[in-house]
Every structure is written in C-alpha cells, then in structure tokens.
C-alpha cells in the first residue's frame, strides 16, 4: 500500500481497501471477512480456516483482528452436556460504514488542526526572520 496521501489518492482503490486503509488489516483478514460474508450462517474458526485454506491458529489470529476492529461479531454456543464453542458472523455493513465515517471525520478534524498549527508556526518563523526596514 502506498505511504503518502498523494500516492493513496492516485491509486485505484476498491472498497475492500478500506479494511486495510482504516485498520491495517492484511489480505488474510480480508479473505476471512469475505468468507463470513459469503456464509449462510455463522462459522467456527475451524470452518473459517478450512474456507481460506490456512491453519487454525493463523485463521484465529485473523479472526481476532477482525473482532478488535468491529468487522465481525462472536456468539457463544453452549452444548447441552456442558462446554461451549464460538461462532463468528459479520457486523452489519451500515454499522461498519458509520464507524469508518466517524473515524474519517475524526481524522479530517485532526489533519485540519495540524495544518493550522503548521501555518501558525511557519508564519511566526517567517515574521521573526523578516528584516524590519527603517
């Protein structure tokens, strides 16, 4: 992924790139997320691992990243004899979009503040170095 903002603006990005752009998610994370979106019902980590053709531990790490970012949800299923297991499913896309919009608004406000600080700092530096005519 490009480093600078100007490089990002010139890049042909797809909506799935938002997963990487906003949260630094990896290709495997996107694959796991897509597997959950495509599934008709919630999946276990073992099912996700099989779908993306990875080891269970690798898929589990990806699922944890997706949980932390809020892209997926987790439910606990209890066995009648005792014990339980977890299943995962995608978060409602409108909720994800709202969260990304909020994050973008926060970023935009922060960048505006930094631009203003930049302008103030270098205007003061220019004023201090400009010679005064007599």
């Amino acid at each position: 992924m490009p480093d600078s903002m100007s490089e990002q603006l010139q890049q042909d990005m797809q909506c799935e790139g938002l997963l990487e752009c906003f949260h630094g998610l990896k290709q495997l994370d996107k694959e796991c997320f897509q597997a959950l979106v495509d599934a008709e019902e919630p999946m276990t980590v073992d099912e996700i691992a099989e779908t993306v053709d990875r080891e269970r531990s690798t898929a589990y790490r990806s699922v944890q990243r997706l949980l932390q970012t809020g892209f997926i949800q987790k439910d606990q299923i209890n066995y009648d004899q005792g014990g339980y297991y977890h299943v995962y499913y995608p978060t409602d896309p409108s909720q994800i979009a709202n969260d990304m919009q909020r994050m973008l608004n926060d970023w935009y406000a922060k960048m505006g503040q930094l631009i203003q600080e930049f302008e103030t700092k270098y205007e003061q530096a220019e004023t201090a170095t400009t010679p005064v005519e007599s």
Side-chain angles (χ1 to χ4, degrees):
M1 172 151 234
D3 292 328
S4 74
M5 184 184 304
S6 60
E7 289 175 323
Q8 288 182 26
L9 292 171
Q10 292 173 14
Q11 181 186 23
D12 184 28
M13 186 182 285
Q14 298 178 349
C15 66
E16 289 79 10
L18 293 173
L19 300 173
E20 182 180 356
C21 183
F22 275 75
H23 296 286
L25 297 180
K26 302 172 182 179
Q27 181 61 35
L28 177 60
D29 303 334
K30 292 187 268 188
E31 292 172 19
C32 290
F33 180 70
Q34 189 63 54
L36 288 165
V37 168
D38 293 342
E40 293 183 18
E41 48 187 58
M43 299 173 73
T44 65
V45 170
D46 290 330
E47 293 168 333
I48 296 168
E50 185 177 324
T51 302
V52 298
D53 194 29
R54 296 294 176 94
E55 295 290 327
R56 182 188 194 287
S57 60
T58 303
Y60 179 78
R61 286 190 297 275
S62 183
V63 165
Q64 291 306 304
R65 283 189 295 273
L66 290 167
L67 275 171
Q68 288 174 342
T69 59
F71 285 100
I72 65 173
Q73 304 294 310
K74 172 173 79 169
D75 277 342
Q76 179 175 306
I77 307 295
N78 296 316
Y79 291 114
D80 293 336
Q81 315 85 348
Y84 63 90
Y85 64 99
H86 292 112
V87 293
Y88 303 88
Y89 57 94
T91 301
D92 177 34
S94 61
Q95 181 180 339
I96 294 171
N98 288 339
D99 290 345
M100 286 192 289
Q101 185 64 58
R102 214 173 1 266
M103 186 180 292
L104 179 60
N105 292 343
D106 291 347
W107 180 87
Y108 185 76
K110 179 67 175 176
M111 292 302 106
Q113 178 184 353
L114 290 173
I115 289 168
Q116 184 60 51
E117 289 175 15
F118 176 88
E119 183 179 24
T120 302
K121 178 178 180 178
Y122 289 100
E123 277 183 350
Q124 290 173 354
E126 185 177 294
T127 304
T129 59
T130 304
V132 178
E133 292 184 26
S134 320

